[in-house]
Amino acid sequence: MFTALRKLKKAKDTKPTELETKIAQAFFDLEVNSKDVKTYLHRLHFVSAEEIKVGKSKRAIIVWVPERQDADFKRINTRLVRELEKKFSGKQVVILPRRKAYKKSKKPTRKVPRRRTLNNYKAAVLDDIVYPVDVAGKRIRVKLDGTKHRTCYLDPKKKDNYEHKSQTFAAVYKMLTGQRVFFTYGN
């Protein structure tokens, strides 16, 4: 168990939750047993994990990874998610980098880096949530009463493999940004 916890990097004074311990063990087991993932997982770790409720009966697991390791995790994302979903049967897994968004500065001389603005944060989160599927387009429709209806069009070629995850994608996006989005596969 001690060797499995090296896959989890938390602050020194915080203890891992039971879910994080299970995910660390699953990462370690994959590193030891899977030959194709072993070379990548050896140098990778995750920061935290949490479980959210998706529908009335579904649950999803969000695994937070460092932003610097996001590209490395995306190389093995499909295989890693598939193996983790096997281990945690009945739960869908989403791997996301831990990103920061800065507030607008009150001082006119202090500029916020463009990739840290709130709009860029929301766009990056959307791309990360649906990662194996490409975002074909986005649309925001503002109704007369001022409500916004967001629609995200995903690549129709991958509809068969990922259509069952649309509800999970929407729930995770709402949890992170506070905005509802509807996913469709089409033009």
Side-chain angles (χ1 to χ4, degrees):
M1 183 60 83
F2 178 71
T3 55
L5 286 179
R6 68 182 174 84
K7 289 295 175 190
L8 175 64
K9 305 281 186 193
K10 291 185 73 102
K12 293 189 183 216
D13 52 343
T14 58
K15 289 192 173 193
T17 63
E18 182 181 341
L19 177 67
E20 291 170 344
T21 307
K22 287 180 182 178
I23 292 174
Q25 186 64 45
F27 269 48
F28 183 72
D29 291 343
L30 284 173
E31 182 182 339
V32 171
N33 298 330
S34 181
K35 292 180 182 176
D36 56 343
V37 181
K38 181 177 185 173
T39 56
Y40 295 109
L41 268 181
H42 179 68
R43 63 181 181 271
L44 299 178
H45 62 273
F46 69 98
V47 179
S48 67
E50 60 185 286
E51 190 172 349
I52 65 165
K53 190 173 183 179
V54 174
K56 292 181 179 177
S57 62
K58 283 194 214 174
R59 302 200 64 78
I61 297 173
I62 302 173
V63 179
W64 296 101
V65 299
E67 189 176 6
R68 291 181 182 216
Q69 293 182 353
D70 182 37
D72 295 330
F73 269 103
K74 284 188 177 180
R75 286 187 192 136
I76 58 170
N77 189 322
T78 52
R79 290 176 281 181
L80 188 60
V81 166
R82 187 178 338 114
E83 293 297 325
L84 288 174
E85 285 178 351
K86 284 180 194 175
K87 295 236 185 212
F88 302 101
S89 60
K91 298 177 185 173
Q92 294 179 343
V93 177
V94 179
I95 298 175
L96 295 175
R98 180 68 81 180
R99 296 187 184 276
K100 291 181 184 175
Y102 296 147
K103 295 179 183 176
K104 277 190 174 180
S105 176
K106 304 261 189 227
K107 299 177 185 177
T109 58
R110 185 171 172 206
K111 301 290 182 186
V112 175
R114 183 159 293 188
R115 62 176 236 157
R116 299 284 189 202
T117 61
L118 190 59
N119 286 337
N120 283 351
Y121 168 80
K122 290 175 184 176
V125 164
L126 184 64
D127 289 339
D128 290 333
I129 289 171
V130 299
Y131 167 66
V133 183
D134 295 326
V135 176
K138 299 173 198 169
R139 179 176 143 197
I140 300 175
R141 182 177 175 196
V142 181
K143 296 185 179 181
L144 289 174
D145 62 351
T147 59
K148 293 182 180 181
H149 182 84
R150 290 174 180 77
T151 306
C152 181
Y153 298 98
L154 301 176
D155 188 10
K157 296 175 189 169
K158 298 188 179 182
K159 178 180 182 179
D160 298 334
N161 297 336
Y162 294 100
E163 188 174 27
H164 66 281
K165 287 191 167 190
S166 296
Q167 189 178 14
T168 303
F169 294 158
V172 171
Y173 188 76
K174 179 158 176 60
M175 185 199 83
L176 294 176
T177 62
Q179 298 175 341
R180 291 182 57 196
V181 67
F182 298 96
F183 291 98
T184 61
Y185 292 85
N187 302 338

